Short mmCIF file of all heavy atoms in Angstrom, two decimals:
data_model
loop_
_atom_site.label_atom_id
_atom_site.label_comp_id
_atom_site.label_asym_id
_atom_site.label_seq_id
_atom_site.Cartn_x
_atom_site.Cartn_y
_atom_site.Cartn_z
N PHE O 22 -4.50 5.59 -4.55
CA PHE O 22 -4.68 4.49 -5.49
C PHE O 22 -5.07 3.23 -4.72
O PHE O 22 -4.46 2.92 -3.70
CB PHE O 22 -3.38 4.23 -6.27
CG PHE O 22 -3.06 5.30 -7.29
CD1 PHE O 22 -2.31 6.41 -6.94
CD2 PHE O 22 -3.52 5.17 -8.59
CE1 PHE O 22 -2.01 7.38 -7.87
CE2 PHE O 22 -3.23 6.15 -9.54
CZ PHE O 22 -2.48 7.26 -9.18
N ASP O 65 -7.69 2.84 -14.33
CA ASP O 65 -6.96 1.59 -14.07
C ASP O 65 -5.50 1.95 -13.85
O ASP O 65 -4.87 2.59 -14.71
CB ASP O 65 -7.12 0.67 -15.29
CG ASP O 65 -6.49 -0.70 -15.07
OD1 ASP O 65 -5.62 -0.84 -14.20
OD2 ASP O 65 -6.88 -1.63 -15.80
N ALA O 66 -4.96 1.56 -12.72
CA ALA O 66 -3.58 1.92 -12.39
C ALA O 66 -2.58 1.32 -13.37
O ALA O 66 -1.46 1.82 -13.50
CB ALA O 66 -3.24 1.47 -10.97
N THR O 67 -2.96 0.25 -14.06
CA THR O 67 -2.05 -0.35 -15.04
C THR O 67 -2.12 0.34 -16.39
O THR O 67 -1.40 -0.04 -17.31
CB THR O 67 -2.35 -1.86 -15.22
OG1 THR O 67 -3.66 -2.03 -15.76
CG2 THR O 67 -2.24 -2.59 -13.89
N CYS O 68 -2.97 1.36 -16.52
CA CYS O 68 -3.07 2.16 -17.74
C CYS O 68 -2.34 3.48 -17.52
O CYS O 68 -2.77 4.31 -16.71
CB CYS O 68 -4.53 2.42 -18.11
SG CYS O 68 -4.73 3.51 -19.54
N ALA O 69 -1.24 3.68 -18.21
CA ALA O 69 -0.41 4.86 -17.99
C ALA O 69 -1.17 6.15 -18.25
O ALA O 69 -0.98 7.15 -17.53
CB ALA O 69 0.84 4.79 -18.87
N VAL O 72 -3.43 7.07 -15.27
CA VAL O 72 -2.65 7.57 -14.14
C VAL O 72 -2.16 8.99 -14.41
O VAL O 72 -2.24 9.87 -13.55
CB VAL O 72 -1.45 6.64 -13.87
CG1 VAL O 72 -0.51 7.24 -12.83
CG2 VAL O 72 -1.94 5.27 -13.41
N ILE O 84 -0.30 4.73 -2.25
CA ILE O 84 -0.47 3.59 -3.14
C ILE O 84 -0.84 2.38 -2.30
O ILE O 84 -0.03 1.87 -1.52
CB ILE O 84 0.81 3.30 -3.95
CG1 ILE O 84 1.29 4.55 -4.68
CG2 ILE O 84 0.57 2.16 -4.93
CD1 ILE O 84 2.60 4.38 -5.42
N LEU O 86 -2.30 -0.63 -3.63
CA LEU O 86 -2.73 -1.53 -4.69
C LEU O 86 -2.49 -2.99 -4.31
O LEU O 86 -1.66 -3.29 -3.45
CB LEU O 86 -1.95 -1.23 -5.98
CG LEU O 86 -2.20 0.14 -6.61
CD1 LEU O 86 -1.19 0.39 -7.72
CD2 LEU O 86 -3.62 0.25 -7.14
N ARG O 106 0.47 -8.19 -11.71
CA ARG O 106 1.59 -7.26 -11.55
C ARG O 106 1.06 -5.85 -11.31
O ARG O 106 1.70 -4.87 -11.67
CB ARG O 106 2.48 -7.30 -12.78
CG ARG O 106 3.16 -8.65 -13.00
CD ARG O 106 3.85 -8.70 -14.35
NE ARG O 106 4.82 -7.65 -14.52
CZ ARG O 106 5.23 -7.16 -15.69
NH1 ARG O 106 4.69 -7.63 -16.80
NH2 ARG O 106 6.12 -6.20 -15.75
N VAL O 107 -0.13 -5.75 -10.71
CA VAL O 107 -0.75 -4.44 -10.56
C VAL O 107 0.08 -3.51 -9.68
O VAL O 107 0.16 -2.30 -9.95
CB VAL O 107 -2.19 -4.58 -10.00
CG1 VAL O 107 -2.20 -5.15 -8.59
CG2 VAL O 107 -2.91 -3.24 -10.04
N CYS O 108 0.74 -4.03 -8.65
CA CYS O 108 1.56 -3.18 -7.78
C CYS O 108 2.76 -2.64 -8.55
O CYS O 108 3.07 -1.44 -8.50
CB CYS O 108 2.03 -3.97 -6.56
SG CYS O 108 0.71 -4.55 -5.49
N GLU O 109 3.44 -3.53 -9.26
CA GLU O 109 4.61 -3.12 -10.04
C GLU O 109 4.24 -2.16 -11.16
O GLU O 109 4.83 -1.07 -11.28
CB GLU O 109 5.28 -4.36 -10.63
CG GLU O 109 6.44 -4.04 -11.56
CD GLU O 109 6.89 -5.23 -12.38
OE1 GLU O 109 6.23 -6.29 -12.32
OE2 GLU O 109 7.89 -5.09 -13.11
N ILE O 110 3.27 -2.55 -11.99
CA ILE O 110 2.93 -1.72 -13.16
C ILE O 110 2.30 -0.40 -12.72
O ILE O 110 2.63 0.67 -13.27
CB ILE O 110 1.99 -2.49 -14.10
CG1 ILE O 110 2.70 -3.73 -14.65
CG2 ILE O 110 1.52 -1.60 -15.24
CD1 ILE O 110 1.80 -4.64 -15.46
N GLY O 111 1.41 -0.47 -11.74
CA GLY O 111 0.79 0.76 -11.26
C GLY O 111 1.81 1.74 -10.71
O GLY O 111 1.77 2.94 -10.99
N THR O 112 2.75 1.24 -9.92
CA THR O 112 3.78 2.11 -9.35
C THR O 112 4.70 2.66 -10.43
O THR O 112 5.09 3.83 -10.39
CB THR O 112 4.59 1.33 -8.30
OG1 THR O 112 3.70 0.90 -7.25
CG2 THR O 112 5.69 2.21 -7.69
N ARG O 113 5.02 1.83 -11.42
CA ARG O 113 5.84 2.31 -12.53
C ARG O 113 5.14 3.47 -13.25
O ARG O 113 5.76 4.48 -13.59
CB ARG O 113 6.13 1.17 -13.51
CG ARG O 113 7.16 1.53 -14.58
CD ARG O 113 7.29 0.42 -15.61
NE ARG O 113 7.64 -0.85 -14.99
CZ ARG O 113 8.87 -1.21 -14.68
NH1 ARG O 113 9.87 -0.37 -14.92
NH2 ARG O 113 9.10 -2.39 -14.13
N ASN O 114 3.84 3.33 -13.47
CA ASN O 114 3.08 4.39 -14.14
C ASN O 114 3.02 5.66 -13.30
O ASN O 114 3.12 6.77 -13.83
CB ASN O 114 1.67 3.90 -14.45
CG ASN O 114 1.63 2.87 -15.56
OD1 ASN O 114 2.55 2.78 -16.38
ND2 ASN O 114 0.58 2.07 -15.59
N ILE O 115 2.86 5.50 -11.99
CA ILE O 115 2.81 6.66 -11.10
C ILE O 115 4.14 7.40 -11.11
O ILE O 115 4.20 8.63 -11.23
CB ILE O 115 2.44 6.22 -9.68
CG1 ILE O 115 0.99 5.73 -9.64
CG2 ILE O 115 2.64 7.37 -8.68
CD1 ILE O 115 0.63 4.94 -8.40
N LEU O 116 5.23 6.67 -11.01
CA LEU O 116 6.56 7.30 -11.02
C LEU O 116 6.82 8.01 -12.35
O LEU O 116 7.41 9.09 -12.38
CB LEU O 116 7.64 6.25 -10.75
CG LEU O 116 7.65 5.66 -9.34
CD1 LEU O 116 8.64 4.50 -9.26
CD2 LEU O 116 8.00 6.72 -8.30
N ALA O 117 6.39 7.41 -13.45
CA ALA O 117 6.61 8.01 -14.76
C ALA O 117 5.83 9.31 -14.93
O ALA O 117 6.26 10.21 -15.67
CB ALA O 117 6.23 7.02 -15.86
N ALA O 118 4.70 9.43 -14.24
CA ALA O 118 3.85 10.61 -14.37
C ALA O 118 4.20 11.71 -13.37
O ALA O 118 3.62 12.81 -13.43
CB ALA O 118 2.38 10.22 -14.20
N ASP O 160 4.96 -9.46 -6.38
CA ASP O 160 4.56 -8.20 -7.01
C ASP O 160 4.98 -7.02 -6.14
O ASP O 160 5.47 -6.01 -6.62
CB ASP O 160 3.06 -8.21 -7.23
CG ASP O 160 2.58 -7.08 -8.13
OD1 ASP O 160 3.39 -6.57 -8.93
OD2 ASP O 160 1.39 -6.72 -8.05
N GLN O 164 7.56 -3.89 -6.73
CA GLN O 164 7.11 -2.52 -6.47
C GLN O 164 8.12 -1.78 -5.60
O GLN O 164 8.49 -0.63 -5.89
CB GLN O 164 5.75 -2.56 -5.77
CG GLN O 164 5.20 -1.20 -5.37
CD GLN O 164 3.94 -1.31 -4.53
OE1 GLN O 164 3.87 -2.15 -3.63
NE2 GLN O 164 2.94 -0.50 -4.83
N LEU O 167 11.31 -0.77 -7.45
CA LEU O 167 11.12 0.41 -8.28
C LEU O 167 11.23 1.69 -7.45
O LEU O 167 11.89 2.65 -7.87
CB LEU O 167 9.73 0.36 -8.94
CG LEU O 167 9.55 -0.54 -10.15
CD1 LEU O 167 8.08 -0.59 -10.54
CD2 LEU O 167 10.39 -0.07 -11.32
#
Side-chain angles (χ1 to χ4, degrees):
F22 288 89
D65 185 339
T67 64
C68 175
V72 172
I84 306 176
L86 295 170
R106 296 171 57 204
V107 65
C108 297
E109 175 194 6
I110 297 173
T112 300
R113 189 186 303 277
N114 289 338
I115 292 165
L116 292 172
D160 192 24
Q164 177 187 43
L167 282 173

